[in-house]
Amino acid sequence: MVHNIDVAKILYEVADLLELQGVGFKPNAYRNAARNIESMTKELDEYRKTNNLRDIPGVGEAIAKKVEEILATGRLHYLDELKQQLPAGLLQMVEVPEIGPKTALHLYKELKITDVQELKVAAEHHRIRSLKGFGERSEERILHGISLLEKRSGRMLLGYAYPVAERVREYVAEHAQLKLISLGGSLRRMKDTIGDIDILAGSNDVKKVMDSFTSYPEVDEVVERGPTKAVVRLKDGTQVDLRVVEEEAYGAALQYFTGSKDHNIKLRSLAIDKGWKLNEYGLFKKDLTEVVARRTEEDIYKALGLKIMPPELREDRGEIEASLNGTLPNLIELNDIKGDLHVHTVASDGNATMEEFAWACKKKGYEYLGITDHSYGLRVTDGLSVERLRGNIDIAHNVAKRVDGLKILIGAEVEILEDGSLDYPGDVLRELDFVIGAIHSKFNMDSDAMTKRVLTAISNEFLTILAHPTGRKLEQREPYPIDLEKVMLAAKSAGVCLELNAFPERMDLNDVNCRMAKEIGVKIAIDTDSHSIPQLDYMFFGVATARRGWLEKEDVLNTLSLKELVSFLSA
Ligand SMILES: [Zn+2]
Ligand SMILES: [Zn+2]
């Protein structure tokens, strides 16, 4: 059955589309009807048995006919027609709290912006403020609106949720003078998207912890405050849950609330094998009278005959077996990273200069920085002509004179064209220190064609790294169909690396893909794809995803020292 709410939704869409087309009066008529249908207490299907649809306020003959069609088919032909007349992404843009139909149409006409993603890029690169009637503040409001919209999907990106959660955790730790406090759940396991922000504290002074938590300056509303659990909503709309347990049971609670569920199930069955019982309060002898372990996580794992493993591994993907056998991987750490090999400067679509990036990387203790502005095929982001690419090489020489102790490698993020060729000629690519190949267009090829396209690029003698290999954008775009195993096998034999792009929306390759790369033996480059200086910090999340993929230092290209990297590049 078609529900009233679905009928209303279609009528609202019609209204938005008509408004986008600049039609007067009609949009309001559709909206009015939609509102009245939405607020009816009876389902339309029921209602029309005894009444005429035209008795509903705001529903005239034309709209009644359309409602009949929706009730009969679940669709509206008229809506499909309207949709074909304007880019579909414009409707999605209207969902952004700051964007009404008029604004969307204006942005489409003036800046050719057709969807939320393009809107975000335009606002980030300050292309909107120059329009009449817009300014710096409107760009900020648009970006804020987009972030609210993204949260509505229910899952948050790790790169955005983690810093928010860490700030709360640090605040409570300091104000309640707490040592036992940690992020929990998928956030502690560093999954690329997370559902909730959970924080766990161990303290025998619950009131003090709760008071600190609810007094955090960013709190907009205390949603719930119980004896051991509180929930707040921050000013940016994020919800944070805090749970407080007694100090002596903190380890058991932390283990339990970190999960994952599958990991915990397996752990519980190990306990049962020993005649014990494991729950969020501790590891107990079967009748629950005697505690075996509960103060720390280590105590619990040890009692079960296991070596504790980092939270990133706790997904029941073989980590318990590896722990029993003593074959846990020695996971890569942020400190192992010696440089970033995917960065965009002001020469293409970045907003910092090469020199600014160089100083920031030097400050991080990196040995090298790879500059990879876009090639000219990508006209939307101001790709570099061959002449301007050579200009980058000159800039690098100058920057090198001022920033010592950091090697600047000049590369490019080159388009992989539809036939798999790269969009700079070989004699230009030869002048570069390294080459990243990437797909940014023509995503809708079938798996065979896409795989062939990428294999052709991999066979290009100049390709060093295949960037964001599946093209996914979290919560926005599915990966394109591609045979990753074939791609990895080819990359391995060609000596090409695959990228783990650490940009929060991408995180591509993902953890599972990384593990596959490791098993096949293809090297991974963990890059940030930074377009600004703060984005260099995304490396932390890239390394976290690599750890979830069981990667060790040796599996990653940019853990090489400069000397080792140079010899790799010249091989
Ligand atoms: Zn790219
Ligand atoms: Zn890039």
Side-chain angles (χ1 to χ4, degrees):
M1 187 184 84
V2 181
H3 296 281
N4 294 7
I5 189 163
D6 307 316
V7 176
K9 198 174 156 244
I10 290 176
L11 296 180
Y12 279 127
E13 272 192 73
V14 169
D16 285 343
L17 279 169
L18 287 173
E19 197 151 41
L20 277 171
Q21 295 191 339
V23 177
F25 176 68
K26 264 170 127 186
N28 279 336
Y30 276 94
R31 245 177 233 131
N32 190 20
R35 255 194 307 272
N36 290 328
I37 287 171
E38 213 173 21
S39 59
M40 285 170 68
T41 47
K42 234 184 208 175
E43 288 287 356
L44 282 169
D45 239 13
E46 212 29 58
Y47 179 85
R48 66 172 168 175
K49 283 181 191 159
T50 49
N51 298 75
N52 193 322
L53 287 178
R54 290 180 61 183
D55 297 341
I56 303 167
V59 177
E61 197 185 337
I63 294 184
K65 246 180 153 175
K66 294 192 171 72
V67 173
E68 293 281 5
E69 184 190 336
I70 299 167
L71 289 174
T73 66
R75 311 179 51 94
L76 182 62
H77 186 68
Y78 179 53
L79 175 64
D80 297 337
E81 265 176 349
L82 285 173
K83 275 184 176 169
Q84 276 168 16
Q85 294 162 17
L86 282 171
L90 287 188
L91 260 188
Q92 188 202 353
M93 261 166 74
V94 178
E95 298 272 300
V96 177
E98 290 300 323
I99 305 282
K102 282 205 185 77
T103 314
L105 190 65
H106 190 56
L107 290 169
Y108 170 61
K109 281 191 175 152
E110 295 297 322
L111 296 175
K112 300 271 167 293
I113 293 172
T114 61
D115 61 25
V116 173
Q117 189 50 28
E118 289 174 15
L119 177 67
K120 190 173 178 184
V121 172
E124 280 169 349
H125 293 101
H126 311 312
R127 293 202 285 120
I128 295 175
R129 62 178 61 169
S130 56
L131 285 186
K132 199 166 169 249
F134 291 85
E136 213 170 305
R137 281 285 296 141
S138 8
E139 282 172 349
E140 279 167 25
R141 279 202 304 272
I142 287 170
L143 286 172
H144 182 67
I146 292 173
S147 81
L148 289 180
L149 185 69
E150 285 169 351
K151 277 190 196 107
R152 248 192 259 161
S153 71
R155 294 197 73 78
M156 286 175 276
L157 299 181
L158 175 70
Y160 302 133
Y162 189 91
V164 173
E166 258 303 288
R167 282 196 293 273
V168 179
R169 193 194 65 80
E170 277 166 18
Y171 180 90
V172 177
E174 194 192 322
H175 285 255
Q177 290 138 320
L178 263 183
K179 279 204 195 72
L180 304 180
I181 181 164
S182 170
L183 307 183
S186 49
L187 193 51
R188 184 167 181 236
R189 301 200 311 282
M190 305 297 275
K191 271 190 77 168
D192 47 23
T193 66
I194 59 148
D196 306 291
I197 297 182
D198 291 309
I199 300 180
L200 180 77
S203 170
N204 296 339
D205 188 349
V206 180
K207 186 181 178 301
K208 191 174 175 187
V209 179
M210 293 278 192
D211 287 346
S212 308
F213 179 56
T214 54
S215 74
Y216 180 61
E218 289 297 307
V219 168
D220 189 37
E221 189 193 350
V222 178
V223 180
E224 180 192 324
R225 180 167 173 162
T228 60
K229 194 188 163 194
V231 179
V232 299
R233 189 165 43 246
L234 305 180
K235 285 173 187 156
D236 70 354
T238 315
Q239 185 170 307
V240 184
D241 297 11
L242 172 81
R243 196 183 298 267
V244 189
V245 299
E246 49 180 349
E247 281 174 25
E248 43 281 18
Y250 177 71
L254 184 58
Q255 195 290 313
Y256 179 86
F257 288 111
T258 298
S260 66
K261 200 170 149 203
D262 292 339
H263 175 88
N264 284 357
I265 289 172
K266 199 159 262 182
L267 220 54
R268 272 204 297 279
S269 76
L270 283 183
I272 291 167
D273 290 347
K274 291 190 185 292
W276 296 337
K277 192 172 164 49
L278 176 66
N279 61 27
E280 60 183 285
Y281 305 104
L283 179 61
F284 301 94
K285 291 274 169 70
K286 207 169 187 178
D287 56 5
L288 295 179
T289 51
E290 199 181 321
V291 177
V292 179
R294 65 181 195 156
R295 181 167 280 278
T296 70
E297 283 191 307
E298 275 98 338
D299 293 346
I300 291 168
Y301 283 94
K302 206 171 152 199
L304 292 171
L306 297 169
K307 188 171 178 268
I308 191 170
M309 68 289 291
E312 294 96 320
L313 292 184
R314 301 183 199 168
E315 297 288 349
D316 188 23
R317 292 178 185 156
E319 73 280 5
I320 291 177
E321 293 78 359
S323 178
L324 283 167
N325 303 333
T327 53
L328 280 173
N330 187 11
L331 296 181
I332 180 175
E333 289 176 18
L334 185 58
N335 270 336
D336 296 325
I337 297 292
K338 299 289 188 333
D340 200 328
L341 293 172
H342 189 161
V343 160
H344 298 268
T345 72
V346 286
S348 64
D349 60 345
N351 70 7
T353 63
M354 196 185 299
E355 180 158 357
E356 287 166 331
F357 273 116
W359 284 114
C361 286
K362 188 180 155 77
K363 211 171 141 207
K364 283 187 175 296
Y366 286 169
E367 295 181 21
Y368 46 84
L369 158 66
I371 300 293
T372 54
D373 282 308
H374 288 287
S375 60
Y376 46 44
L378 198 60
R379 255 164 268 125
V380 287
T381 46
D382 197 15
L384 267 53
S385 63
V386 171
E387 202 175 310
R388 291 179 60 224
L389 176 66
R390 287 186 175 132
N392 257 3
I393 299 178
D394 295 337
I395 297 171
H397 284 310
N398 284 322
V399 173
K401 283 178 204 152
R402 290 189 289 275
V403 188
D404 62 337
L406 180 91
K407 173 74 180 170
I408 297 176
L409 301 163
I410 292 297
E413 182 174 11
V414 181
E415 290 304 298
I416 297 175
L417 304 176
E418 212 174 339
D419 64 357
S421 62
L422 304 181
D423 77 341
Y424 285 135
D427 60 332
V428 173
L429 296 175
R430 194 186 300 279
E431 295 173 37
L432 300 173
D433 292 314
F434 70 109
V435 174
I436 290 185
I439 289 178
H440 297 105
S441 62
K442 297 258 170 3
F443 298 114
N444 44 4
M445 297 168 87
D446 65 30
S447 176
D448 283 350
M450 189 57 98
T451 305
K452 196 166 159 242
R453 177 181 181 185
V454 170
L455 291 182
T456 304
I458 286 174
S459 72
N460 187 304
E461 59 173 314
F462 298 108
L463 189 76
T464 319
I465 299 168
L466 177 66
H468 40 77
T470 78
R472 75 167 180 171
K473 286 224 173 149
L474 286 163
E475 306 283 298
Q476 296 168 34
R477 189 170 71 209
E478 291 295 309
Y480 39 68
I482 191 167
D483 186 337
L484 262 188
E485 192 181 350
K486 259 191 198 159
V487 167
M488 286 184 187
L489 288 168
K492 189 195 172 188
S493 63
V496 167
C497 302
L498 261 55
E499 184 179 66
L500 192 185
N501 188 300
F503 212 83
E505 280 88 349
R506 289 195 182 273
M507 222 38 102
D508 179 12
L509 299 173
N510 68 15
D511 50 359
V512 174
N513 299 155
C514 282
R515 182 107 178 250
M516 180 172 154
K518 182 192 174 88
E519 270 153 24
I520 287 176
V522 54
K523 257 202 198 313
I524 297 291
I526 308 178
D527 297 329
T528 62
D529 204 350
S530 285
H531 289 65
S532 69
I533 301 293
Q535 292 175 349
L536 289 168
D537 293 342
Y538 291 155
M539 188 61 80
F540 174 74
F541 304 109
V543 170
T545 299
R547 287 166 64 86
R548 287 178 56 82
W550 292 51
L551 297 194
E552 300 176 281
K553 188 180 170 188
E554 307 75 66
D555 302 316
V556 175
L557 177 69
N558 45 327
T559 61
L560 295 181
S561 68
L562 174 62
K563 207 174 146 205
E564 291 164 332
L565 179 70
V566 168
S567 89
F568 173 87
L569 293 176
S570 59

